[in-house]
Amino acid sequence: MSQRLVELEVLRFNPETDAEPTFQRYAVECPEEWVVLDALNHIKETVDPTLSYRWSCHMAVCGSCGMMINGEPKLSCKSFLRDYEGVIRVEPLAHFPIQRDLVTVIDDFVTKLKRVKPYLVAGEARPVEAGEYRQTPAQLKTYKQYTLCINCMLCYAACPEYGLEPKFIGPAAISLAHRYNLDSRDAGREARQQEIAATEGVWECSFVGACSEVCPEHVDPAGALQQVKIKSTLDWFREHLMPWRRT
Amino acid sequence: MTVKPYVRAVPRYTWFLAHSRYLRYITREVTCVFIGAYAFLMLVGLKRLAEGREAWEAFVQALASPASLVFHVAVLAFALYHTTSWFNVTPKAMPIQLGDGFVPGRVIVGAHYAIWIVLSLAVLILAGVF
Ligand code: FES
C-alpha cells in the first residue's frame, strides 16, 4: 500500500470558547486507498482527540458523514484521498449552523421531513384478512428512485435557494413527499400538498439543479421538484377550469 | 441546547460567484432578458409595419446597422443557450414511464430538438426563405 502525506485543513469551532470558526491544518501519513473519513479518524486517534464530526456506517448508507470537501458537498466516507491533490479543505455542510467543528445542527431538516409525512398514509382501513397491499413491478418502478435517499442533506448544502431562504422545505423532504405521492398504496397526497405545493415548498425552487448534481445516491431531487410543480399546476387548472371534476 | 451554534451567512448578492454550477444557472436565467428584448424588438417592428411603408422601411434599414447586427448575434447566442439548457433538462421534469421502464432521456430531449427544427423550417418556409 503506497503511503502519502495528506494535509487537511479543517474548519474548527468550539461554541464554548470561540467567537467564530477557524481553520486548523493537520498533516498525517495515509494510504492512498483511504477516504477522507479515514484520515479524520486517524487524526482523531493519533493527533487530536477533540476533533468532532459525525459518521456511522462508513459505506455511504447512513448519510451522517456529509461535509464540504474542497467546497463541494460530499460524503466523507465516499471521497477517496487519491482523487484530491494538495491540501484538502474540510468544512461542515454549508447552510446548516455549526454545533461544533464539523458537526452541524440538523433540526431544521428533521422538522421539515416530519411535515411532509414521509410514510404511507392508508386510504381506508383494510382488515388483516384482506392480505397484503399488492404492487406490480411497474408501480414500484414509478417511485423506486426516490426511495434511495439516505437523508444525508448534501442537497441542502448545495441548494442556493435553501441558503438564501431557510424556510424552503428543500430538495430531500420534497423528493420524499413525491416518493409517497407516487406510491399506489398511498392516499396522503392531499395532506402533503399543503406543505409542498406552497410558497415555502416547491415554488421556492428555481431549478438550479445543484441538488441532483451532488446527490450521492442519484435520487435526482431536482427532477422530483419539477414534477411536483407540474402536478400542482395541473391541480390548479383542474380546480379552477373544471369545477365539475372537484371531488 | 446551552451553547449557541455558529451561523455562516450567505452573501445575498454575490452567492452565485461561489461555484461554477451557480454561474451556469445565473447565465441561464439571464438569457431571458435577451429573449425578452428580442420579443420587444419584434413588437416594435409590428408597430412600424402597421404605421405604413415608410416606417417599415426605416425599421428594416435600422436593423442593418452595425449595432443592430451585434445585438442580433448576442441575442442568437443567448437564445441558443437558453433553448439547449432548457431542452436538456426536460427528461427530469417530464419522465415518461412505459411499463417497467422509463423512456431514455435522450429520446425526450431529441423529440424537443426535432419539433424545434420542424417548427423553424415551417416559419422559414412561410417567410418565403426557400
Ligand atoms: S458514514 Fe454513513 S454515509 Fe458516510
Side-chain angles (χ1 to χ4, degrees):
Chain A
M1 264 201 282
S2 68
Q3 298 269 126
R4 175 184 130 195
L5 185 73
V6 173
E7 277 190 276
L8 293 181
E9 199 168 57
V10 184
L11 195 67
R12 310 245 12 222
F13 175 67
N14 180 344
E16 281 128 31
T17 54
D18 303 344
E20 55 183 43
T22 45
F23 280 104
Q24 184 167 349
R25 191 74 80 93
Y26 299 99
V28 275
E29 280 287 334
C30 300
E32 277 285 331
E33 292 76 8
W34 275 11
V35 290
V36 171
L37 178 60
D38 294 322
L40 289 173
N41 284 339
H42 190 51
I43 292 168
K44 192 170 173 80
E45 280 160 18
T46 61
V47 185
D48 185 350
T50 67
L51 184 60
S52 303
Y53 49 94
R54 285 195 184 100
W55 71 285
S56 178
C57 70
H58 198 287
M59 51 192 278
V61 168
C62 73
S64 51
C65 70
M67 305 168 187
M68 306 300 287
I69 301 180
N70 283 351
E72 191 74 11
K74 289 272 184 196
L75 293 180
S76 56
C77 70
K78 213 185 167 189
S79 304
F80 287 88
L81 293 174
R82 58 169 177 260
D83 295 332
Y84 295 92
E85 276 168 23
V87 182
I88 305 173
R89 200 159 30 89
V90 186
E91 296 162 88
L93 272 188
H95 304 155
F96 290 96
I98 306 175
Q99 187 146 359
R100 178 184 293 264
D101 297 343
L102 301 171
V103 178
T104 53
V105 183
I106 59 169
D107 305 25
D108 182 54
F109 170 67
V110 176
T111 316
K112 284 169 177 164
L113 196 56
K114 279 191 197 142
R115 273 168 59 190
V116 303
K117 303 196 192 319
Y119 41 80
L120 284 176
V121 177
E124 44 197 76
R126 265 162 54 124
V128 177
E129 305 80 66
E132 58 278 78
Y133 289 85
R134 299 206 168 194
Q135 213 162 38
T136 64
Q139 284 171 326
L140 170 66
K141 183 77 186 179
T142 305
Y143 66 84
K144 177 99 193 287
Q145 176 189 348
Y146 307 113
T147 67
L148 302 177
C149 175
I150 57 171
N151 298 342
C152 64
M153 294 166 285
L154 298 196
C155 52
Y156 285 77
C159 175
E161 299 292 357
Y162 179 64
L164 293 167
E165 180 44 86
K167 283 192 182 144
F168 178 32
I169 295 183
I174 298 180
S175 302
L176 276 166
H178 188 55
R179 172 250 175 277
Y180 287 97
N181 286 344
L182 290 177
D183 194 314
S184 60
R185 299 163 296 178
D186 180 82
R189 178 163 184 263
E190 212 164 307
R192 289 186 202 104
Q193 284 296 94
Q194 305 289 332
E195 301 288 347
I196 67 169
T199 313
E200 289 168 13
V202 85
W203 300 113
E204 194 64 56
C205 164
S206 57
F207 205 175
V208 180
C211 51
S212 295
E213 285 179 34
V214 304
C215 178
E217 304 296 321
H218 309 291
V219 169
D220 192 7
L225 271 76
Q226 308 326 304
Q227 290 163 36
V228 172
K229 283 183 195 171
I230 293 178
K231 288 198 166 150
S232 306
T233 308
L234 290 177
D235 281 354
W236 189 91
F237 278 114
R238 216 164 278 148
E239 196 178 313
H240 290 84
L241 301 179
M242 306 161 82
W244 61 90
R245 289 221 17 199
R246 217 178 284 170
T247 43
Chain B
M1 211 176 302
T2 47
V3 281
K4 214 168 147 13
Y6 184 84
V7 176
R8 293 159 289 175
V10 175
R12 194 138 277 275
Y13 301 107
T14 53
W15 60 267
F16 55 86
L17 300 174
H19 202 289
S20 62
R21 67 166 68 94
Y22 299 162
L23 265 179
R24 237 186 301 137
Y25 157 77
I26 278 290
T27 312
R28 187 193 76 196
E29 297 295 287
V30 164
T31 55
C32 69
V33 174
F34 290 83
I35 305 274
Y38 192 70
F40 185 72
L41 183 71
M42 292 290 99
L43 279 178
V44 172
L46 210 57
K47 186 161 180 285
R48 293 284 173 273
L49 189 62
E51 282 165 2
R53 195 186 183 97
E54 223 168 283
W56 171 251
E57 274 167 6
F59 174 71
V60 172
Q61 204 159 18
L63 286 186
S65 71
S68 158
L69 288 180
V70 170
F71 171 75
H72 276 79
V73 169
V75 169
L76 179 66
F78 279 102
L80 285 174
Y81 186 74
H82 182 91
T83 311
T84 50
S85 60
W86 279 115
F87 277 9
N88 293 343
V89 291
T90 47
K92 285 182 187 292
M94 306 187 259
I96 301 171
Q97 191 178 0
L98 280 184
D100 294 355
F102 283 91
V103 173
R106 51 177 201 287
V107 174
I108 298 174
V109 176
H112 279 80
Y113 280 100
I115 295 170
W116 183 26
I117 291 169
V118 169
L119 287 180
S120 300
L121 280 177
V123 168
L124 290 176
I125 289 169
L126 280 176
V129 173
F130 303 114

